[in-house]
Amino acid sequence: MKLADRALNISPSPTLSIDAKAKEMASNGHKVVSFGAGEPDYDTPDHIKEAAIAAIRAGKTKYTPVTGIKVLKEAICEKYRLEQGLEYKPEQVVVSAGAKHSLYNAMQVLLQPGDEVILAAPYWVSYLEQIKLCGATPRIIETREENGFKLVPAELESAIGPRTRLFILNSPNNPTGSVFTVEELGALAEVIEKHGIMVISDEIYEKLIYNGIKHVSIASFSPALKEQTIVVNGVSKAYAMTGWRIGYTLSTLPIAKAMGDLQSHSTSNPTSIAQYAGAAALTGDQSYTEQMKAEFLRRRNYMYERLNAIEGITCTRPNGAFYLYPNVKGFFGKSYQGVPINSATDLAAILLKEAKVAVVPGIAFGNDNYFRLSYACSMENIREGLDRIEELLNKIN
Ligand SMILES: *Cc1c(COP(=O)(O)O)cnc(C)c1O
């Protein structure tokens, strides 16, 4: 049996093997503490669940327009008008089965073989695979810890060549939690506008920023940039709705039309009842998100202090999302019970086996000198996990 090259070229998620091992250990009765979560540990707010239940009762259980129901698309336009001062018409909105699907649609209609895409590392791993699925070539730029893992304009500019079609921007960032300031974004925006390349702006963590920085969409810097940008967002992270699968894009009409046509032959509309829930999320009470954010901030601060107190670890203080990204290079060249440690993957394997703590090694995001630790888990979990990490790492030191 032969599979298509397209399928053979997809790398399985490197986070999954750790995750699978952690689950296997848990099922064998071990108490595993996991920092692997990529979703809020909160439940979806009741008023959003009620909107979905009401939609079921009202018989909203049929196909909807491919690119989404009117109330949801209008709510998305209104949100961007109020929060970003950006005017989009509902026809410029495409609602899909999660932001990941939105990203997929966007890349499928923009990219073809020979095109280059600039991706700053550490990056969210699906970007890389989605670029490859289009037959396009990723051009990866390593960011630096000293810059808070933020790409600087000169680095972006030097990576732009005649084949560059697209730059992928993700602020707040997964896995580093870094957030661009308005000034930093403005400087990148200038480079992007000057060279006329497209930008995908993944804004899925916009509601989770902790230091008072206001999220600004790169689309808002100039009318030209608005045309060059595909904004990607969704309800998964801000409203604890990862399972509902509602994401969306804002773009020019021709791009929106192309994505809608593509979607019409693949998934058609996203789930009808989830769309009603999504509309309730965007138009309803926003205080739940604020409460969640306050708790995330408390956890981040605790975890940041604890991690930096461990000899051999350095960790920058990220301002967004729900991840910390400590540097663990201090342990390379050492060993634990005869097992050498030369990468974050090696150290993660030891932590899982010996301390029963699961972390995601940086290899999953393009650089194996770091761990990603999620604080989308209980404070109790965080305390216990850090006690175990500290105890084990102190034995290695
Ligand atoms: C979680 C996540 C998404 C996708 O979220 P959906 O659940 O598909 O809406 C997109 N980008 C990044 C960086 C993420 O972490």
Side-chain angles (χ1 to χ4, degrees), residues 100-134:
K100 189 183 277 190
H101 184 207
S102 300
L103 288 160
Y104 180 84
N105 282 345
M107 290 197 223
Q108 285 290 321
V109 306
L110 280 184
L111 301 175
Q112 57 192 10
D115 288 342
E116 276 184 11
V117 181
I118 297 175
L119 187 56
Y123 49 77
W124 189 53
V125 72
S126 293
Y127 298 141
L128 185 69
E129 297 305 322
Q130 293 189 356
I131 294 165
K132 292 196 302 186
L133 274 168
C134 298

Side-chain angles (χ1 to χ4, degrees), residues 215-227:
H215 170 73
V216 177
S217 175
I218 196 155
S220 67
F221 280 86
S222 75
L225 263 167
K226 187 179 169 219
E227 301 271 299

Side-chain angles (χ1 to χ4, degrees), residues 145 148-150 176-179 210-211 297 300-302 304-305 308 314-320 323-325 375:
E145 193 177 340
F149 301 104
K150 288 184 273 189
T176 65
S178 69
V179 182
Y210 307 107
N211 60 347
L297 173 63
R300 181 206 66 170
N301 289 344
Y302 176 79
Y304 169 80
E305 298 294 337
N308 275 304
T314 57
C315 186
T316 55
R317 191 202 307 264
N319 288 317
Y323 308 105
L324 287 168
Y325 204 61
Y375 46 89

